[in-house]
Amino acid sequence: MTKEQTAIKATYFSIASNALLALIKGLAGFFGNSYALTADAIESTTDIFSSLLVLFGIKYSNKPADDNHPYGHGRAEPLVTFLVVGFLITSATIIAYESIGNINTPHELPASWTLIILGTIILWKEYSFRLVMKRSKEANSSSLKADAWHHRSDAITSVAAFTGISIALFLGKGYESADDLAALFASGFIFYNSYKIFRPALGEIMDEHLYDDLVVEIRKVSLQVQGVESTEKCFIRKAGMKYHVDLHAIVNANITVREGHDISHLLKDTLRAEIPELGHVLIHIEPSYS
């Protein structure tokens, strides 16, 4: 299975999971008189649309290079990640606004059976987070990683809802607002996770260097190529699921241009064969006079 297929399969899983959970949470929140669960349902609903965006981003970013996009379409993925963060921030804002409004509004205690629903949801969402995060690492996808954090934030909001409902039920009348305070806490956590998802995607767009381990691996592989004495500059930028590399290789100054050209192509082919996640590789030959 290719990296793209792995990512797409994980995204379909997220879409189906979020659709089912949004329905369950919405019904349980309405009939169980829990705004924390209703807030949870709102987040799961936005997660459906964000997962659809991730699916689009993964498919589009893996389109092959063309005349207008010689480096491919990989930058579409962090852009989609920004949109996903926008969905998260929107849902957190709605949850915070509604929960603040409900804190001072008298309402009934949540139903005790909602705790069973929440306990099951917490376990499922944590499993979903671990599964999608594993797939995001396999596929080297920033937008899929953002989608995984949706599952984790959903699990946390469910934990907050579970805590709030438990307090309200245990302490009884006068503590109904514990459910709403739990929803407010959950919105704060979603804001925090939004930043954690946004920051790496911004670094990708800005070509921030975050790939020291990959540089070490590239240098190690390069020295295995006959004719390469050492390496100098090595710049890496990530686009989608691929890393584009600019590498300066040092060769004997007395060889011919043809020989230098052949070494350059051999080095490029070797790097792409040994490190499959590399995309465009540009080799610059430097002479050695030692």
Side-chain angles (χ1 to χ4, degrees), residues 203-214:
E204 188 173 328
I205 286 289
M206 297 297 293
D207 289 332
E208 184 177 359
H209 177 70
L210 302 168
Y211 317 110
D212 287 332
D213 291 342
L214 184 56

Side-chain angles (χ1 to χ4, degrees), residues 57-99:
I58 289 171
K59 288 188 174 183
Y60 187 84
S61 66
N62 281 280
K63 289 176 62 178
D66 55 36
D67 291 340
N68 291 328
H69 306 88
Y71 287 95
H73 300 75
R75 287 294 169 86
E77 200 190 11
L79 292 176
V80 167
T81 302
F82 293 154
L83 292 175
V84 172
V85 169
F87 271 103
L88 269 175
I89 292 174
T90 300
S91 64
T93 302
I94 293 172
I95 291 170
Y97 178 81
E98 294 293 335
S99 59

